[in-house]
Amino acid sequence: MLRIHFTGVDLARVRMAGRPDALWETILSFHRLRDRRDARLFGEWRTETRSRLNSETRTLGMLIPSRGYFPDFLTPVEGQYGWDVGLDALRGIRPERMRRELQLLGAGAPMTPRLREFMDDDGKQLPRLMGELRAYHRAAVEPYWTHIQAQIEAERAARGRALLDGGADELLASLPPMLRWRAPVLECDYPVDRDVRLRGRGLLLQPSFFCRRTAVTLHDPELPPVLVYPAAAQLASAPAGGEGGRPVEEQRQRTLGKLVGHTRSVVLRAIGDGATTSELARRAGVSLASASQHACVMREAGLVTTLRRGNAVLHTVTPLGAALLKGGAVAS
């Protein structure tokens, strides 16, 4: 069991990540690649990713076990600001910190010669790791990035609604079922028994597409607290990429033709930062049935993501839908 202990100050400092963290998604997807479970969601993605992997991943495999601890330095907190920023932070990791975390990786079992060599080289093998990380990211995560962004945006919209409705208490209570808010403690099933005390630092909630079953947090209690958890939309949404590595938008052009017309332009704009079907109908001035049908067509086209919240569904605009609106391509 993981128990995260909040003070009143911590509740005031709970915040949602502004975007998916590319480094967390990359590391967690490496777990999914070697996991045979969830074939319905990840089977096709695994096949496509393996077909694109032409480079070495032995260093990644050494540092990221199939289960259990992996070094915190692989997912620097700076990664929340983007892939390039995260890689810069990883490139600047101090050798002493790397050695300390690699020792934790080898705890409880004889250290392999390759891991010992990596640990004793004072960061000289870091460029090899970063090369593998970049190549793996291009094969496993980058082709699906638009879809991942859409799922995280849907999650942010749902949690934002909860925050507006009832503050941080309601936000924490609305998280997926594997997380249980029993004020002032957030509990989660976890591989080990662990208590995390926030001590007024607050908590960054980082929804993730490739996180599964349980949340993940950093091992070092002195690092800024972050909780990576499965995005609710992800639980029923397989990775969507482009055939042969092409962007998914190219495959949706035929479906986008259905959207040309004034009414659907109004409906897409009416979704704004998120809307339930009844709110959408009211904003767009259409019937409930019509709003539901328009949202369905736009969801099939990849312009809208729909996430169930209680007895209602919440529609949010995907990055593709936002780009279409920005360009005015839907209006007629």
Side-chain angles (χ1 to χ4, degrees), residues 56-71:
E56 178 66 63
T57 59
R58 285 194 302 169
T59 304
L60 284 178
M62 176 181 68
L63 299 183
I64 309 170
S66 298
R67 60 185 61 189
Y69 171 81
F70 57 85

Side-chain angles (χ1 to χ4, degrees), residues 166-178:
D169 192 74
E170 179 65 22
L171 166 63
L172 294 170
S174 77
L175 292 170
M178 74 282 296

Side-chain angles (χ1 to χ4, degrees), residues 14-170:
V14 172
R15 60 205 186 280
M16 288 289 299
R19 60 182 64 82
D21 187 309
L23 277 166
W24 272 109
E25 296 296 350
T26 300
I27 299 303
L28 292 173
S29 77
F30 197 67
H31 284 282
R32 301 289 77 78
L33 187 69
R34 295 174 294 174
D35 188 348
R36 295 183 179 181
R37 295 173 292 182
D38 303 310
R40 183 182 65 82
L41 287 178
F42 293 107
E44 185 176 350
W45 168 80
R46 289 185 185 116
T47 300
E48 293 175 354
T49 296
R50 287 177 181 135
S51 72
R52 285 190 292 264
L53 274 176
N54 300 317
S55 55
E56 178 66 63
T57 59
R58 285 194 302 169
T59 304
L60 284 178
M62 176 181 68
L63 299 183
I64 309 170
S66 298
R67 60 185 61 189
Y69 171 81
F70 57 85
D72 289 339
F73 67 74
L74 292 174
T75 53
V77 294
E78 293 85 353
Q80 64 183 290
Y81 303 114
W83 171 251
D84 292 333
V85 178
L87 283 186
D88 284 343
L90 178 55
R91 186 182 296 109
I93 195 75
R94 297 189 308 276
E96 57 270 24
R97 177 185 167 186
M98 183 181 295
R99 282 195 299 273
R100 183 173 67 250
E101 294 184 6
L102 290 175
Q103 286 173 341
L104 288 174
L105 183 64
M111 187 171 290
T112 66
R114 289 192 72 245
L115 182 57
R116 171 66 66 183
E117 180 185 6
F118 192 94
M119 186 175 70
D120 291 343
D121 271 357
D122 285 336
K124 293 177 183 177
Q125 294 202 40
L126 192 58
R128 177 193 293 272
L129 168 63
M130 296 190 66
E132 287 189 17
L133 197 60
R134 286 192 190 94
Y136 175 77
H137 174 81
R138 284 195 296 268
V141 177
E142 195 173 84
Y144 309 93
W145 193 245
T146 296
H147 183 77
I148 292 168
Q149 285 180 306
Q151 307 311 307
I152 302 309
E153 283 300 320
E155 176 70 19
R156 279 172 47 81
R159 303 307 149 224
R161 280 296 181 99
L163 182 64
L164 289 172
D165 289 345
D169 192 74
E170 179 65 22

Side-chain angles (χ1 to χ4, degrees), residues 185-205:
V185 179
L186 183 64
E187 296 180 350
C188 178
D189 296 333
Y190 210 63
V192 297
D193 199 47
R194 185 179 175 199
D195 288 272
V196 174
R197 301 186 185 278
L198 299 177
R199 306 194 309 271
R201 295 173 296 168
L203 180 67
L204 175 66
L205 295 171

